[in-house]
Amino acid sequence: MRNPYKKEEPSASALVQIIVRITSMRVHSIAIADPPLRSSYGLHSPYALRTILELESDDHIIGISETHGGDAIAAGFESLKSKIIGADPYSLCGSLLPMIEDDPHGTSLDRSQTYYVPGENPLDAAARLYSAIEIACLDLIGKTVGKPVCDLLGGRARNEVPFSAYLFYKHAGGGGEGSDARTNEDEYGEGLTPEAMVHQAKQMIAKYGFRDIKLKAGVLEPDLEIETIVRLRRAFGPQVPLRLDPNCAWSVETSIRIGDALKDELSGTGYLEDPTSSIDGMAAVRKGLLETGNRMPLASNVAVTSFADLPEAIEKDAVQIVLCDPHYWGGLRQVQHLGKLCRTFSLGLSMHSNSHLGVSLMAMAHAAAATPHLAYACDTHYPWQSEKDEVVAGGRVPIIDGCVRIPDKLGLGVELDHDQLARGRERYKNCPYRKRDDAAEMRKHVDPHWQRVLPRW
Amino acid sequence: MRNPYKKEEPSASALVQIIVRITSMRVHSIAIADPPLRSSYGLHSPYALRTILELESDDHIIGISETHGGDAIAAGFESLKSKIIGADPYSLCGSLLPMIEDDPHGTSLDRSQTYYVPGENPLDAAARLYSAIEIACLDLIGKTVGKPVCDLLGGRARNEVPFSAYLFYKHAGGGGEGSDARTNEDEYGEGLTPEAMVHQAKQMIAKYGFRDIKLKAGVLEPDLEIETIVRLRRAFGPQVPLRLDPNCAWSVETSIRIGDALKDELSGTGYLEDPTSSIDGMAAVRKGLLETGNRMPLASNVAVTSFADLPEAIEKDAVQIVLCDPHYWGGLRQVQHLGKLCRTFSLGLSMHSNSHLGVSLMAMAHAAAATPHLAYACDTHYPWQSEKDEVVAGGRVPIIDGCVRIPDKLGLGVELDHDQLARGRERYKNCPYRKRDDAAEMRKHVDPHWQRVLPRW
């Protein structure tokens, strides 16, 4: 650990590297209560699954990251253990780069996650593993050298990262099963009507100060979802940008009809996200909208899920805003690459989210801080998770005026509460869920014959 | 400088950043002997101008970088001094990002450096300043934390970076004026015929082990340049890729004729670089070549000099290989972004060079090491510079088997020899050159009426 440059008379010939090695890896599969949120994928199960990765150095400094949960990703980390233990956290990401540089599937898989819930898409399986390792290494490095992660990535373009209110149609219930279900407050109550969603938005904005609103759609009849957006616009005014995301539930014709009905409401810095499936479907919607002079941008995290999708999407003008996600696109540096690419091709850049805790929230905030082009407010499910399940020491990360502030702390800026982590592991052990399956939950609780048929309308 | 994570019992509440500040900046304008090399820009003057930037921290650690020379860039650094002094080297690049994120010229300037010698293109003036600051910060950080620069950038994709032999038609002379001219050996002698260029290549390859050859063309009649390439192929065989770069000296028709004449010689991993000017011109050459089934790739660092040029170049299939340059594209991270963009759009990536010393060579090597897609051998003028002018402590950086090896040293892996630096400054002071002007040199030494007329043939 001696740095020859710090001697009084540095010797040019005696340059010795300061070596930090990763000496242990711990993978924590946890379950966190999740309310019965609806989407075109189906229904959220009572627990969302997450994975917390810890990489510890021989200096006893611990780097952490969070990603989606289940047995498959935990096994993925274990399979890489021999490459991780003993590695220098600075060079590990370089040595693992072939995982994400060479698309392991090439053209052998359908290039879309239309029919996969996020976290279960085989196209980005390697990128998801890589991301979590990169983020934990960056946290470890930041805590070792005394810097926030965004500054390790070239410095920050912003100190405050805006997030968006994320509304969901939902059944009554606060998440969890058994004693969890009994003690978890149903903070937002049932939300299955346009009126209820305005109430949900008011509650969420009052608590967090969000300045953008996203509605997860593809759940009710299209006219009710149109009405929801119209009521939100009436309640919050044109200064609050609105986003609508039915996760491919609509046909091209329905998408154009809804886009035209909401031309004013989704204009400006709002957008229509994944109204229909596939690059060709999105291009057809765009074409149809443009024919009536409707320049509403289309955003996507379904038609476009990786760099390999971009050339075709750009050529066909299928997507005007890419929704990145550091968990799925290969980590924070890949999000920076994507940001420059989007800027170069005049595409917007926003950020996708899944149910998550504070470690992921901070990784998302650092990614956005270090990516100048990421100017849209990021999505976050954070309001749907409970303080009771937070694994971050000191409790939940504050969202103030809709923003997460990059703290004057090292690495990601958060550490683990090991009692809370143990509680999450215990829940994981005791709950029956091992991967995300929203369709199965839908059949169990809402309609025993439910299938995810696309387009539904 | 206390890191709270290194205590026995780290305290979550007492996270204190370790602050390193830049306390001084030194800008060294130097002149180095340069032989009378020819190109379509004209003639190299007896001295190439370079600038060495030193940024020193309050820990007395010094980060260095090298860029093109002259009074203008030195004044540019001075104008940024108030932003640099006192800054944290980790966050400085983030705070300066608007310099390169927002193209200050937009569409107000011709988007091509056809008529500018590299280093004098107003389009990349801000990127050139930013690059040198970023590289010096990375060197400073690497020397502070004990890591090579490429590992600060996400880890290396390769340890050995291949460079290409760079042949120039040249007049007799070893560079420099007065006593410099008398003592500088004319190592390669006059090279104004096809035969002489084969000899030059053999000499250079024997000394450095290069496995690729680039010929700077646009100097002799096209048929003599064709003959030069044919003779090089005959001398070195198909296993040595050949590149030909006339810097826009040819019309579209001449470019197609030469491309067809050299179809075999420039195929495989060779390429034809900037045969003609402008994106439209390059696209017309590409179209003409493809019509005869000639898929020889076209490379460019003239039609495409910045991210803003890429959408049109890609749409028109004008360029198949982009020549990046960390000095001109905004530094090492921007080269990484460009690498991912090129990979995404199935473009190749190679690297441009200007007359330079060992500090630049190391920055180029680290850029290539940290950019997986940069698989082409990089250009380098290094063989044309003299050991006598090297400012790197311990003498010139070794090129072995055509490669620069990333050394097990901190930062860029080199330090300054201050006596040599003083010698370079003295030469700068005494020589009459303050910017690069190859046309003026051409008029002075070769043809008093010479003008850079494009296309010349």
Side-chain angles (χ1 to χ4, degrees):
Chain A
M1 287 292 304
R2 199 173 56 89
N3 185 336
Y5 279 97
K6 294 190 178 171
K7 292 187 301 187
E8 281 304 291
E9 292 174 52
S11 151
S13 59
L15 306 186
V16 180
Q17 283 196 40
I18 299 169
I19 306 288
V20 175
R21 295 283 177 207
I22 297 170
T23 50
S24 67
M25 173 181 99
R26 291 180 289 279
V27 179
H28 308 278
S29 298
I30 63 173
I32 60 178
D34 203 22
L37 308 181
R38 290 280 299 273
S39 76
S40 91
Y41 291 109
L43 174 69
H44 282 211
S45 68
Y47 293 104
L49 308 181
R50 301 297 287 171
T51 310
I52 303 291
L53 177 67
E54 288 188 279
L55 300 179
E56 183 167 349
S57 72
D58 45 9
D59 271 358
H60 304 295
I61 295 175
I62 297 167
I64 60 177
S65 64
E66 174 187 346
T67 188
H68 69 101
D71 285 355
I73 184 129
F77 291 124
E78 291 299 334
S79 75
L80 290 168
K81 192 165 186 171
S82 66
K83 292 183 179 170
I84 293 171
I85 302 299
D88 175 345
Y90 280 94
S91 52
L92 177 59
C93 296
S95 69
L96 295 180
L97 259 181
M99 283 173 66
I100 56 168
E101 272 295 306
D102 302 314
D103 182 344
H105 303 291
T107 53
S108 72
L109 284 175
D110 175 26
R111 293 218 67 84
S112 154
Q113 66 177 30
T114 306
Y115 289 96
Y116 302 109
V117 285
E120 304 293 344
N121 178 5
L123 273 171
D124 58 25
R128 285 182 269 127
L129 279 173
Y130 183 92
S131 298
I133 296 166
E134 187 219 42
I135 294 166
C137 284
L138 286 167
D139 185 47
L140 176 51
I141 292 167
K143 286 173 176 163
T144 302
V145 304
K147 292 292 166 195
V149 162
C150 56
D151 290 346
L152 301 177
L153 296 169
R156 62 191 87 174
R158 53 188 65 83
N159 274 307
E160 310 242 332
V161 175
F163 284 82
S164 171
Y166 201 160
L167 312 186
F168 281 83
Y169 295 109
K170 73 181 279 291
H171 298 281
E177 291 177 326
S179 64
D180 283 335
R182 286 189 295 277
T183 56
N184 271 326
E185 191 196 347
D186 184 8
E187 189 178 354
Y188 293 95
E190 186 183 86
L192 290 168
T193 64
E195 299 88 323
M197 299 313 277
V198 172
H199 183 68
Q200 188 185 100
K202 285 184 174 168
Q203 256 188 291
M204 204 177 274
I205 286 174
K207 187 162 174 181
Y208 298 100
F210 295 119
R211 287 168 284 183
D212 299 69
I213 297 174
K214 168 162 168 169
L215 172 65
K216 180 62 87 183
V219 174
L220 305 185
E221 290 290 328
D223 286 340
L224 286 170
E225 301 196 336
I226 290 173
E227 189 190 332
T228 306
I229 290 290
V230 169
R231 284 180 181 251
L232 287 168
R233 166 54 49 102
R234 207 178 299 147
F236 294 96
Q239 69 278 16
V240 175
L242 301 174
R243 315 169 173 182
L244 182 59
D245 173 19
N247 284 118
C248 316
W250 303 333
S251 68
V252 169
E253 293 67 30
T254 303
S255 301
I256 294 169
R257 176 171 79 79
I258 295 175
D260 281 337
L262 297 174
K263 183 176 174 179
D264 291 340
E265 288 77 4
L266 303 182
S267 66
T269 50
Y271 50 75
L272 178 57
E273 178 180 334
D274 289 313
T276 200
S277 66
S278 86
I279 288 175
D280 285 333
M282 293 285 281
V285 173
R286 172 70 168 170
K287 190 161 170 280
L289 292 173
L290 286 179
E291 276 167 8
T292 65
N294 186 341
R295 301 195 58 79
M296 165 190 302
L298 302 183
S300 181
N301 70 298
V302 180
V304 170
T305 62
S306 78
F307 286 93
D309 300 320
L310 287 163
E312 186 186 348
I314 290 171
E315 194 190 333
K316 295 181 175 171
D317 192 22
V319 169
Q320 291 74 53
I321 298 167
V322 176
L323 297 181
C324 70
D325 184 326
H327 303 89
Y328 297 148
W329 280 76
L332 306 193
R333 290 191 178 91
Q334 298 295 317
V335 166
Q336 292 184 299
H337 298 331
L338 179 62
K340 191 75 190 195
L341 191 154
C342 286
R343 184 176 178 85
T344 300
F345 285 89
S346 303
L347 297 176
L349 183 66
S350 188
M351 194 186 287
H352 164 265
S353 153
N354 279 135
S355 309
H356 64 86
L357 296 173
V359 184
S360 275
L361 183 65
M362 289 312 303
M364 294 158 76
H366 281 275
T371 305
H373 190 55
L374 215 165
Y376 279 96
C378 302
D379 289 347
T380 177
H381 288 61
Y382 204 51
W384 295 106
Q385 267 56 65
S386 161
E387 171 84 34
K388 291 180 193 162
D389 294 341
E390 182 55 89
V391 296
V392 162
R396 276 160 72 82
V397 174
I399 298 177
I400 296 166
D401 295 336
C403 292
V404 171
R405 189 172 172 77
I406 301 296
D408 287 329
K409 291 183 179 175
L410 315 187
L412 292 174
V414 288
E415 293 177 274
L416 295 176
D417 178 326
H418 287 277
D419 292 338
Q420 284 289 89
L421 198 58
R423 192 167 163 270
R425 281 199 307 268
E426 195 63 19
R427 268 225 204 77
Y428 184 83
K429 210 164 63 182
N430 295 332
C431 83
Y433 309 101
R434 286 299 173 266
K435 58 180 279 193
R436 183 173 168 188
D437 188 346
D438 292 18
E441 280 308 300
M442 192 69 181
R443 286 190 287 273
K444 194 163 147 194
H445 294 285
V446 181
D447 173 359
H449 305 293
W450 196 85
Q451 295 287 338
R452 187 164 189 242
V453 178
L454 296 182
R456 187 169 297 278
W457 290 285
Chain B
M1 287 293 299
R2 196 174 55 90
N3 184 337
Y5 279 96
K6 293 190 179 171
K7 292 188 299 186
E8 281 305 289
E9 292 175 52
S11 151
S13 59
L15 306 185
V16 180
Q17 282 195 43
I18 300 169
I19 306 288
V20 174
R21 296 283 177 206
I22 296 170
T23 51
S24 66
M25 174 181 96
R26 291 180 290 277
V27 179
H28 308 278
S29 297
I30 63 172
I32 59 178
D34 202 21
L37 307 182
R38 288 282 299 273
S39 77
S40 91
Y41 292 107
L43 175 69
H44 282 211
S45 69
Y47 293 103
L49 308 180
R50 301 295 286 172
T51 310
I52 302 291
L53 177 67
E54 286 187 282
L55 300 180
E56 183 167 349
S57 72
D58 45 11
D59 271 358
H60 305 294
I61 295 177
I62 298 168
I64 59 175
S65 65
E66 175 186 345
T67 188
H68 69 99
D71 284 356
I73 184 130
F77 290 124
E78 292 299 334
S79 74
L80 290 170
K81 190 166 187 170
S82 66
K83 293 183 179 172
I84 293 171
I85 301 300
D88 175 344
Y90 279 93
S91 53
L92 176 59
C93 295
S95 69
L96 295 180
L97 258 182
M99 284 173 67
I100 57 168
E101 272 295 305
D102 302 313
D103 182 344
H105 303 292
T107 54
S108 71
L109 284 173
D110 176 25
R111 292 216 67 81
S112 152
Q113 66 175 30
T114 306
Y115 289 95
Y116 301 110
V117 286
E120 303 294 345
N121 178 5
L123 273 172
D124 59 24
R128 284 182 269 126
L129 280 172
Y130 183 92
S131 298
I133 295 165
E134 186 220 41
I135 294 167
C137 284
L138 286 169
D139 186 46
L140 175 51
I141 292 167
K143 286 172 175 165
T144 302
V145 303
K147 292 294 165 192
V149 162
C150 55
D151 290 345
L152 302 178
L153 296 168
R156 62 192 86 173
R158 52 187 68 82
N159 274 306
E160 311 242 332
V161 175
F163 285 82
S164 171
Y166 201 161
L167 311 185
F168 281 83
Y169 295 110
K170 73 181 280 290
H171 299 281
E177 291 177 324
S179 65
D180 282 334
R182 285 189 295 279
T183 56
N184 271 326
E185 191 196 348
D186 184 8
E187 189 179 352
Y188 293 95
E190 185 181 88
L192 289 169
T193 64
E195 299 88 322
M197 299 312 277
V198 173
H199 183 68
Q200 189 185 99
K202 284 183 174 170
Q203 255 187 293
M204 203 177 273
I205 286 174
K207 188 163 174 181
Y208 298 100
F210 295 118
R211 288 165 284 181
D212 299 69
I213 297 174
K214 167 162 167 169
L215 172 65
K216 180 62 88 183
V219 174
L220 306 184
E221 290 289 329
D223 286 340
L224 285 170
E225 300 196 335
I226 290 173
E227 188 189 334
T228 306
I229 290 290
V230 169
R231 282 179 183 253
L232 286 168
R233 167 54 49 104
R234 206 178 299 146
F236 294 95
Q239 70 277 16
V240 175
L242 301 175
R243 316 170 172 182
L244 181 60
D245 173 19
N247 284 120
C248 315
W250 303 332
S251 67
V252 170
E253 294 68 30
T254 303
S255 300
I256 294 170
R257 176 171 78 79
I258 296 175
D260 281 336
L262 296 174
K263 184 176 174 180
D264 292 340
E265 287 77 3
L266 303 182
S267 66
T269 50
Y271 50 76
L272 178 57
E273 177 180 335
D274 287 314
T276 200
S277 66
S278 85
I279 288 175
D280 285 333
M282 293 287 280
V285 173
R286 172 71 168 169
K287 189 161 172 281
L289 292 174
L290 285 178
E291 276 167 8
T292 65
N294 186 340
R295 300 196 57 81
M296 165 189 301
L298 302 183
S300 180
N301 69 298
V302 180
V304 171
T305 63
S306 78
F307 285 92
D309 300 321
L310 286 163
E312 185 187 348
I314 289 171
E315 194 190 334
K316 295 181 174 171
D317 191 22
V319 169
Q320 291 74 52
I321 298 167
V322 176
L323 297 180
C324 70
D325 185 327
H327 303 88
Y328 297 148
W329 281 76
L332 306 194
R333 289 190 180 91
Q334 298 294 318
V335 166
Q336 291 184 299
H337 298 329
L338 178 63
K340 191 75 190 194
L341 191 155
C342 286
R343 184 178 178 84
T344 300
F345 285 88
S346 302
L347 297 175
L349 183 66
S350 189
M351 193 186 288
H352 164 264
S353 153
N354 279 137
S355 308
H356 65 88
L357 296 173
V359 184
S360 276
L361 183 64
M362 289 313 303
M364 295 157 76
H366 281 275
T371 305
H373 190 56
L374 215 164
Y376 279 96
C378 301
D379 288 349
T380 178
H381 288 61
Y382 205 50
W384 296 106
Q385 267 57 64
S386 160
E387 172 83 35
K388 291 179 192 161
D389 295 340
E390 183 55 87
V391 296
V392 161
R396 276 160 73 82
V397 173
I399 298 178
I400 296 167
D401 294 336
C403 291
V404 172
R405 190 172 171 77
I406 301 295
D408 287 329
K409 292 183 178 174
L410 314 187
L412 293 173
V414 288
E415 293 176 275
L416 294 175
D417 177 325
H418 287 276
D419 293 337
Q420 283 290 90
L421 198 59
R423 193 167 164 269
R425 284 199 305 269
E426 193 64 22
R427 269 227 203 77
Y428 184 84
K429 208 163 67 183
N430 296 331
C431 83
Y433 309 101
R434 286 299 173 268
K435 58 180 279 193
R436 183 172 165 188
D437 188 346
D438 291 18
E441 280 307 300
M442 192 70 182
R443 286 190 286 272
K444 193 164 150 196
H445 294 287
V446 181
D447 172 0
H449 305 292
W450 195 86
Q451 295 288 336
R452 189 166 187 240
V453 179
L454 296 182
R456 186 169 298 279
W457 290 284

